[in-house]
Amino acid sequence: MFYNTSLFFSAPGSIIRQANTFISVDNGKGRVRDEFHNKLLGQWFVYNVIHRFTETDYTNSINAVRVHANDDIGIKDDIT
């Protein structure tokens, strides 16, 4: 899992976002899939969520890692 792709983004705040859950990333309807779709789209394991409150705003900073891929994305199996 340490060699897998990770994802970090900020989103409008929601109390339902929490660590040790899965999120799904998908593209909009009618969008053309290109060679990068397998690296971004799909399920991600959320391992860290920071809830940020200010006087006027509430956001979440989310860290997630890819635990599997649909196609071969070129990760070498012989890494020691």
Side-chain angles (χ1 to χ4, degrees):
M1 212 156 118
F2 295 110
Y3 292 112
N4 286 4
T5 306
S6 65
L7 179 68
F8 175 79
F9 64 96
S10 293
S14 174
I15 59 172
I16 65 169
R17 294 194 181 104
Q18 57 185 324
N20 300 321
T21 59
F22 286 88
I23 61 170
S24 181
V25 176
D26 200 0
N27 60 354
K29 255 186 175 176
R31 303 264 176 144
V32 176
R33 290 188 172 205
D34 58 18
E35 68 264 21
F36 301 107
H37 79 273
N38 190 52
K39 294 184 180 187
L40 178 62
L41 304 182
Q43 296 220 341
W44 294 79
F45 177 71
V46 177
Y47 65 89
N48 187 22
V49 177
I50 299 171
H51 296 268
R52 297 185 194 278
F53 295 91
T54 66
E55 289 183 19
T56 59
D57 202 18
Y58 171 39
T59 60
N60 298 137
S61 296
I62 301 166
N63 288 298
V65 66
R66 184 73 176 238
V67 293
H68 64 82
N70 299 330
D71 297 329
D72 179 15
I73 59 173
I75 297 173
K76 296 182 180 181
D77 292 333
D78 60 351
I79 297 174
T80 55

